[in-house]
């Protein structure tokens, strides 16, 4: 009874006092009550912790050991409940050592951060939901939520992925790639069915034949008017209840595929980031000593040799992942390319002809999305959607159609179209007119400038996405093509690789 009384009246209040002091020291950056010892007073707790163990009949009362066990148990339990608070409890352990000389045990729990966001496991299990609800930004490498019932939108960046990989281990990366591969298989089946449709296939064949027969008169540029006619004419085939045409759905399908590829790129970047944080403590990556041999040479115990071997394996794995990484894009190209380029999938060889109307559809969607940002009803608002560029670049690589698409000179045709319309507006301005006509011309010029900027952004993002799928042979070919003064135009008689 005396021991229980001493524990309840002295030891437990002492533990609570020390825990409170550690919490206040850790969160001193917050607006707390006045802790000035000259005004509030200061209790000397260190004296109790410095006491030698007290013998009480057949047992000992060790105040310092009791407080240490209490803090270890409390910090461990609270960290398991909220893994993102691991850093706060790590600081509290440091303060306990500095202020009171307490040696607390590291819990060695998987750590998370406050801004961890959606976990990699959750995204992996619901990859089909993730690619439809998030938009990808190619340059800054992040995903942003399309719509949300909250007042904020969730974002996922490289740091979030690195934190998840550090929590679950590097093995989660290969599992994620496998899940993404299964998802792409299902999406490519829908992709093939769309291009196999008679209405779509016949239009693509007709446009391809028209361009081949008239490319000299067209100055090697696919006409803007024909792509615009395709984009508007396909709406006659029917609309969904949401008002989407078949081309809208096909664009969304390609965007989802591109978002999946963007997610794989982020997984690889996050893995390298996490690996760099783990290996930064190694003094020299080019000269990593073999600890196992050193332990054997020093005749250390067998358990020490085994531990050294485990550490050697960990360092070797980290060094290999950091130096090489994994070419996930090449893997997913090599696994799908043979099927895409086979004879039984000949209907896919005209895919490059649908890209011009697809880009028009994409630019219209982006223009509407950016206009919605400044409106009260923000349904459909977006400022980035580079998954489309990633998807187009990936599928062109699978079909080996980079050269035939370049032969369309599509973006040059778009520039020529806008330049001609701008000249027409300028001529109208020179002739003069009433005020309403001037206002109309000003709005027209502003609209043309916005469209031109959107097409330029699409061109740059598509060119950047193509770099990810460029192989060593492509780089050699590009270097050889840059040497002549006047490079010849690629042939469009037969699609390359078909």
């Amino acid at each position: 009874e005396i021991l229980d009384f001493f524990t309840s009246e002295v030891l437990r209040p002492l533990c609570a006092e020390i825990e409170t002091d550690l919490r206040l020291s850790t969160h001193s950056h917050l607006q707390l009550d006045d802790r000035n010892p000259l005004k509030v007073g200061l209790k000397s707790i260190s004296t109790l912790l410095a006491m030698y163990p007290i013998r009480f009949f057949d047992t000992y009362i060790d105040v310092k050991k009791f407080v240490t066990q209490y803090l270890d148990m409390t910090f461990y339990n609270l960290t398991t409940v909220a893994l993102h608070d691991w850093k706060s409890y790590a600081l509290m352990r440091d303060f306990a050592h500095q202020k009171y000389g307490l040696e607390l045990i590291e819990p060695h729990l998987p750590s998370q951060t406050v801004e961890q966001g959606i976990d990699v496991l959750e995204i992996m299990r619901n990859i089909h939901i993730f690619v439809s609800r998030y938009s990808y930004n190619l340059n800054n490498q992040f995903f942003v939520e399309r719509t949300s019932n909250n007042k904020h939108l969730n974002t996922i960046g490289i740091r979030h992925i690195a934190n998840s990989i550090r929590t679950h281990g590097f093995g989660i990366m290969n599992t994620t790639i496998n899940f993404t591969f299964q998802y792409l298989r299902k999406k490519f089946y829908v992709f093939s069915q769309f291009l196999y449709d008679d209405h779509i296939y016949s239009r693509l064949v007709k446009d391809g034949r028209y361009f081949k027969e008239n490319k000299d008169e067209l100055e090697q540029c696919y006409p803007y008017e024909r792509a615009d006619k395709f984009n508007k004419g396909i709406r006659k085939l029917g609309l969904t209840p949401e008002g989407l045409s078949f081309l809208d759905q096909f664009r969304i399908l390609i965007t989802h595929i591109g978002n999946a590829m963007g997610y794989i790129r982020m997984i690889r970047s996050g893995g390298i980031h996490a690996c760099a944080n783990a290996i930064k403590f190694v003094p020299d990556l080019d000269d990593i000593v073999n600890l196992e041999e050193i332990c054997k040479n020093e005749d250390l115990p067998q358990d020490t040799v085994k531990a050294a071997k485990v550490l050697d394996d960990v360092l070797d794995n980290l060094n290999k992942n950091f130096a090489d990484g994994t070419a996930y894009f090449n893997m997913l190209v090599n696994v799908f390319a043979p099927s895409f380029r086979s004879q039984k999938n000949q209907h896919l060889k005209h895919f490059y002809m649908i890209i011009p109307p697809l880009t028009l559809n994409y630019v219209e969607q982006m223009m509407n999305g950016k206009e919605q940002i400044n409106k009260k009803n923000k349904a459909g608002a977006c400022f980035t959607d580079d998954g489309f560029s990633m998807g187009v670049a990936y599928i062109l690589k699978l079909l080996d159609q980079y050269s035939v698409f370049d032969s369309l000179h599509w973006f040059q045709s778009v520039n020529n179209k806008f330049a001609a319309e701008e000249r027409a507006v300028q001529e109208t301005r020179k002739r003069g007119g009433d005020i309403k006509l001037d206002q109309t011309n000003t709005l027209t010029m502003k609209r043309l400038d916005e469209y031109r900027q959107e097409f330029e952004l699409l061109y740059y993002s598509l060119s950047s996405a193509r770099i990810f799928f460029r192989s060593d042979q492509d780089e050699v070919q590009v270097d050889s093509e840059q040497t002549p003064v006047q490079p010849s135009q690629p042939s469009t008689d037969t699609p390359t690789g078909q």
Side-chain angles (χ1 to χ4, degrees):
E1 293 179 1
I2 296 175
L3 185 61
D4 293 340
F5 179 81
F6 183 78
T7 303
S8 61
E9 297 297 327
V10 178
L11 295 181
R12 294 194 182 281
L14 177 65
C15 294
E17 184 74 22
I18 293 176
E19 182 184 357
T20 302
D21 182 63
L22 293 176
R23 290 185 182 278
L24 293 176
S25 299
T26 303
H27 301 291
S28 59
H29 58 283
L30 303 176
Q31 293 183 356
L32 305 174
D33 297 334
D34 191 3
R35 301 184 66 215
N36 189 341
L38 298 177
K39 298 179 180 180
V40 183
L42 183 64
K43 298 178 182 179
S44 180
I45 303 176
S46 301
T47 307
L48 293 173
L49 297 176
M51 292 172 55
Y52 288 102
I54 304 171
R55 182 172 182 177
F56 185 77
F57 293 103
D58 58 344
T59 186
Y60 284 90
I61 301 175
D62 192 338
V63 178
K64 186 175 182 179
K65 184 177 180 181
F66 185 89
V67 174
T68 302
Q69 290 178 345
Y70 169 82
L71 293 178
D72 277 333
M73 181 180 65
T74 302
F75 293 169
Y76 182 88
N77 292 337
L78 293 177
T79 305
T80 57
V81 174
L83 288 175
H84 57 269
D85 284 337
W86 68 273
K87 209 164 191 176
S88 299
Y89 293 110
L91 288 174
M92 292 168 69
R93 280 192 291 273
D94 291 338
F95 279 123
H97 175 70
Q98 295 173 10
K99 298 182 69 172
Y100 303 110
L102 301 176
E103 298 291 342
L104 302 184
I105 301 174
E106 285 285 342
H108 297 291
L109 290 171
S111 55
Q112 291 185 346
T113 60
V114 176
E115 73 276 8
Q116 181 132 350
I118 301 179
D119 191 69
V120 170
L121 277 176
E122 186 177 349
I123 297 176
M124 178 183 68
R125 293 167 181 154
N126 302 285
I127 183 71
H128 60 290
I129 299 176
F130 172 76
V131 297
S132 62
R133 291 186 179 178
Y134 282 77
S135 297
Y136 180 58
N137 186 280
L138 183 69
N139 297 322
N140 295 319
Q141 240 189 125
F142 68 85
F143 282 92
V144 60
E145 199 173 11
R146 292 181 181 271
T147 58
S148 175
N149 296 326
N150 302 322
K151 293 184 178 180
H152 64 276
L153 297 176
N154 293 322
T155 60
I156 300 174
I158 295 177
R159 188 170 64 251
H160 306 134
I161 301 296
N163 292 331
S164 292
I165 292 174
R166 184 181 62 186
T167 301
H168 301 290
F170 288 94
I172 194 68
M173 296 173 64
N174 291 330
T175 308
T176 302
I177 303 306
N178 291 333
F179 269 80
T180 307
F181 166 73
Q182 298 297 334
Y183 170 78
L184 290 176
R185 278 181 50 185
K186 297 177 182 178
K187 286 297 179 181
F188 281 141
Y189 176 77
V190 180
F191 172 84
S192 176
Q193 291 297 313
F194 178 84
L195 293 180
Y196 193 76
D197 183 82
D198 290 338
H199 294 90
I200 305 300
Y201 183 76
S202 60
R203 287 171 182 255
L204 295 180
V205 172
K206 182 180 178 182
D207 288 344
R209 186 184 301 113
Y210 171 82
F211 179 70
K212 291 177 183 178
E213 294 175 353
N214 302 278
K215 59 183 178 181
D216 293 334
E217 292 80 1
L218 297 172
E219 298 181 352
Q220 306 292 332
C221 292
Y222 186 76
Y224 179 95
E225 292 75 13
R226 202 166 185 90
D228 189 45
K229 181 180 178 181
F230 189 111
N231 181 32
K232 294 177 180 177
I234 202 170
R235 301 183 68 86
K236 298 178 182 179
L237 298 179
L239 301 174
T240 64
E242 295 80 15
L244 299 176
S245 66
F246 288 108
L247 197 62
D248 290 325
Q249 298 178 67
F250 191 57
R251 170 183 53 79
I252 293 173
L253 172 68
I254 293 177
T255 302
H256 291 175
I257 294 173
N259 285 343
M261 299 304 294
Y263 178 59
I264 290 176
R265 180 193 174 207
M266 189 176 291
I267 285 288
R268 183 178 184 274
S269 300
I272 295 176
H273 188 78
C275 188
N277 287 335
I279 207 171
K280 65 183 179 182
F281 302 102
V282 179
D284 188 2
L285 296 178
D286 297 328
D287 185 19
I288 300 179
V289 296
N290 193 316
L291 298 176
E292 183 183 7
E293 293 183 0
I294 295 176
C295 292
K296 288 181 179 179
N297 296 334
E298 296 294 332
D299 294 330
L300 295 177
Q302 190 64 28
D303 292 340
T304 306
V305 175
K306 291 181 179 179
K309 185 179 185 306
V310 171
L311 181 56
D312 286 336
D313 293 340
V314 171
L315 292 176
D316 182 64
N317 186 34
L318 285 174
N319 190 28
K320 186 183 299 181
N321 290 332
F322 181 70
D324 300 333
T326 306
Y328 292 124
F329 278 3
N330 290 338
M331 290 170 51
L332 290 173
V333 168
N334 295 334
V335 74
F336 285 114
S339 176
F340 268 65
R341 302 172 189 177
S342 64
Q343 291 294 326
K344 66 178 182 180
N345 287 323
Q346 282 292 305
H347 59 285
L348 301 180
K349 71 178 183 179
H350 296 288
F351 167 74
Y352 70 99
M353 291 301 305
I354 204 175
I355 295 179
L358 271 177
T359 57
L360 292 178
N361 187 283
Y362 168 81
V363 169
E364 291 176 359
Q365 180 261 339
M366 288 301 301
M367 293 285 292
N368 295 332
K370 291 182 178 179
E371 289 177 354
Q372 289 295 116
I373 293 178
N374 298 322
K375 295 183 180 180
K376 187 174 182 180
N377 182 15
K378 300 185 183 302
C382 66
F383 67 93
T384 181
D385 198 7
D386 292 334
F388 175 77
S389 302
M390 288 287 290
V392 170
Y394 178 45
I395 296 173
L396 284 176
K397 179 63 177 179
L398 292 179
L399 293 169
D400 195 16
Q401 291 185 348
Y402 280 164
S403 59
V404 289
F405 171 68
D406 291 339
S407 67
L408 298 178
H409 299 95
W410 166 240
F411 290 100
Q412 180 62 41
S413 177
V414 171
N415 288 333
N416 296 339
K417 167 68 175 179
F418 289 149
E421 292 190 2
E422 288 176 357
R423 287 194 299 269
V425 174
Q426 292 291 349
E427 292 176 0
T428 306
R429 279 182 171 180
K430 291 178 180 179
R431 290 196 298 266
D434 56 3
I435 299 177
K436 291 185 178 180
L437 182 60
D438 292 339
Q439 293 176 349
T440 302
N441 290 333
T442 302
L443 293 176
T444 302
M445 289 294 293
K446 181 180 178 182
R447 191 71 173 175
L448 289 174
D449 187 59
E450 291 175 351
Y451 267 100
R452 183 193 293 274
Q453 289 181 5
E454 282 300 326
F455 269 103
E456 286 181 355
L457 288 174
L458 175 60
Y459 171 73
Y460 295 142
S461 61
L462 181 58
S463 300
S464 301
R466 288 174 59 168
I467 294 175
F468 300 139
F469 304 100
R470 180 178 294 176
S471 61
D472 296 337
Q473 295 179 354
D474 297 331
E475 294 177 0
V476 173
Q477 184 178 0
V478 169
D479 294 338
S480 62
E481 290 178 352
Q482 289 177 350
T483 51
V485 178
Q486 295 180 346
S488 59
Q489 298 291 341
S491 174
T492 58
D493 293 338
T494 55
T496 305
Q498 300 301 323

